[in-house]
Amino acid sequence: MGTIAEPGRGITREELALATRNRGMPLEALVHDVTPVGLHYILVHFDIPMIDAGAWRLRVGGHVRRSLELTIDDIRSHPQVTMPVTMECAGNGRARLDPRPISNPWLDEAIGTALWTGTPLAAILKDAGLEDGTVELVFTGADHGIQDGDEHDYARSLAVGEAMRPEVLLAYGMNGRPLEPQHGFPLRLLVPGWYGMTSVKWLRSIEAVTEPFRGYQQAVAYHYRRSDDDPGEPVSRMRPRAVMIPPGFPDFPDRRRYLDAGSVTVRGRAWSGHAPVSRVELGVGGDWSEAVLEDPVGRWAWRAWSCSWEATPGEHLLSCRATDEAGNTQPLEPSWNVQGMGNNLVQEVRVTVR
Ligand SMILES: Nc1nc2c(c(=O)[nH]1)N[C@H]1C(S)=C(S)[C@@H](COP(=O)(O)O)O[C@H]1N2
Ligand SMILES: [Mo]
């Protein structure tokens, strides 16, 4: 089910190899409403498939009235929607757990917001015509590998009701250009509000099924399990999180922050996949003040926040905490699980004020 590092053990060579392939968004990029493509985080389990868009087809089949085989031009000829969507990896925060589940060792940076262009999935499912008794759609990517001894193509499912939501897209564009290879060229699923694992890249088939899908990435991975034999709850929507641009300037290599005493405006972004963010607080050494919120960049995208702070000389620990309209908030202590999922523990930034 996954390996847990010995308590206190440092990052392994294998984790380093994962981290250099799957890198986060540098937090200074939080200044942008829409993250430049090259700064958006990346998570690829296996190898990036290099796909020839001319030869590529999307097959829609299974429990449908009419099986489809679509070219990228067929998909582009459907109604086009463009919207900003914030995406976050469910493993964001994993490396801040102790003991640490061994996987990509994210701190707080597995995030990004892109302007995604595509066509609503619902219209294509209507063309195919789901037969009565369909419970889920299975989305399969072109990438293949082994995880935990299980050899599979990357695949995830969604219940019919979720798949039919109007914001769920088959996306072929990112920030006004075709998808880059690492983000799923030529086509990916995009499920706003959910953690990133649901948004299957390099999509090659959609299958309507009458029984819940039991593939590895659905039934084994992406669960909140306290122990290996805990069935746990499946991971779905993004928990609330606020992140700040670390103020001041960093040391290289330890990245400790330095800034001068005086009035500082701390800025960041906040999001939640459950409900719009309603509140952000900045914590300085455990004292919390209200941040000012800007309008969200979109219904499914983060919103900017700022908070002023009178920085006095000395060492300070800054934190930020988001709360959403459903009353979900970020914990001050991490909630541990075997796979290191959904750790939305508040961010902590140490600064030295001179
Ligand atoms: N086919 C496929 N789709 C995938 C993945 C993958 O490894 N293979 N990774 C998923 C995970 S875990 C995340 S967090 C997002 C990351 O999307 P991005 O790399 O475009 O940011 O893609 C998801 N879709
Ligand atoms: Mo992820």
Side-chain angles (χ1 to χ4, degrees):
M1 185 87 47
T3 314
I4 310 298
E6 293 297 323
R9 167 111 197 258
I11 298 289
T12 63
R13 189 189 174 92
E14 288 73 20
E15 287 172 289
L16 173 61
L18 288 178
T20 55
R21 292 180 56 85
N22 298 303
R23 48 115 190 101
M25 186 193 78
L27 294 184
E28 57 273 32
L30 286 167
V31 295
H32 299 289
D33 284 347
V34 171
T35 311
V37 172
L39 297 180
H40 194 282
Y41 87 96
I42 299 170
L43 193 294
V44 176
H45 285 74
F46 305 132
D47 291 345
I48 298 171
M50 302 298 169
I51 295 179
D52 168 4
W56 174 92
R57 299 288 182 274
L58 175 69
R59 287 188 309 280
V60 185
H63 205 56
V64 294
R65 279 191 280 285
R66 210 160 67 93
S67 295
L68 308 175
E69 203 175 278
L70 303 170
T71 65
I72 197 71
D73 288 339
D74 292 335
I75 291 164
R76 285 172 174 278
S77 70
H78 280 72
Q80 180 172 306
V81 178
T82 295
M83 62 178 167
V85 175
T86 297
M87 191 157 60
E88 178 181 18
C89 181
N92 203 17
R94 175 184 290 124
R96 300 182 63 207
L97 296 172
D98 188 20
R100 185 179 73 257
I102 301 270
S103 182
N104 206 64
W106 296 118
L107 295 168
D108 301 294
E109 294 100 341
I111 49 168
T113 295
L115 262 185
W116 297 97
T117 298
T119 196
L121 171 66
I124 289 187
L125 295 180
K126 274 186 200 116
D127 287 354
L130 300 183
E131 296 272 22
D132 289 350
T134 300
V135 295
E136 290 185 352
L137 284 311
V138 180
F139 302 88
T140 303
D143 49 334
H144 184 91
I146 302 181
Q147 195 172 333
D148 245 352
D150 187 303
E151 184 174 337
H152 56 271
D153 294 339
Y154 188 92
R156 292 269 314 173
S157 67
L158 267 184
V160 174
E162 291 289 342
M164 288 296 196
R165 294 172 67 101
E167 68 271 17
V168 175
L169 300 186
L170 293 177
Y172 44 78
M174 186 179 184
N175 295 8
R177 304 218 315 257
L179 301 182
E180 294 290 329
Q182 66 275 23
H183 292 296
F185 181 84
L187 188 76
R188 78 180 301 168
L189 180 65
L190 188 76
V191 185
W194 286 55
Y195 280 117
M197 72 284 167
T198 315
S199 294
V200 177
K201 301 191 272 192
W202 313 294
L203 193 60
R204 60 178 179 76
S205 75
I206 303 176
E207 198 194 352
V209 294
T210 55
E211 296 291 335
F213 176 58
R214 303 292 304 160
Y216 181 90
Q217 300 293 345
Q218 189 71 27
V220 183
Y222 299 106
H223 279 72
Y224 293 110
R225 301 184 205 274
R226 304 290 308 165
S227 64
D228 276 358
D229 35 69
D230 171 11
E233 284 297 311
V235 173
S236 60
R237 289 177 177 272
M238 297 182 291
R239 292 173 166 178
R241 191 191 294 271
V243 274
M244 74 181 93
I245 301 175
F249 58 85
D251 171 88
F252 181 87
D254 76 15
R255 299 205 55 80
R256 207 189 156 82
R257 312 295 305 185
Y258 294 87
L259 60 97
D260 293 335
S263 215
V264 180
T265 303
V266 180
R267 296 178 188 283
R269 305 264 172 184
W271 64 94
S272 164
H274 291 278
V277 165
S278 51
R279 182 178 190 199
V280 173
E281 297 151 282
L282 177 72
V284 182
D287 286 337
W288 297 89
S289 355
E290 291 296 321
V292 176
L293 299 177
E294 285 176 29
D295 287 341
V297 170
R299 167 63 187 91
W300 302 106
W302 55 26
R303 65 194 301 182
W305 58 267
S306 60
C307 192
S308 56
W309 169 45
E310 282 306 317
T312 52
E315 306 295 315
H316 300 278
L317 180 63
L318 306 185
S319 283
C320 50
R321 174 167 70 187
T323 302
D324 69 21
E325 284 176 9
N328 302 299
T329 191
Q330 294 185 245
L332 302 179
E333 293 296 330
S335 99
W336 195 90
N337 57 79
V338 174
Q339 297 165 343
M341 293 287 141
N343 179 22
N344 64 337
L345 173 68
V346 293
Q347 181 191 8
E348 290 183 339
V349 178
R350 280 173 204 288
V351 295
T352 301
V353 178
R354 310 179 297 182

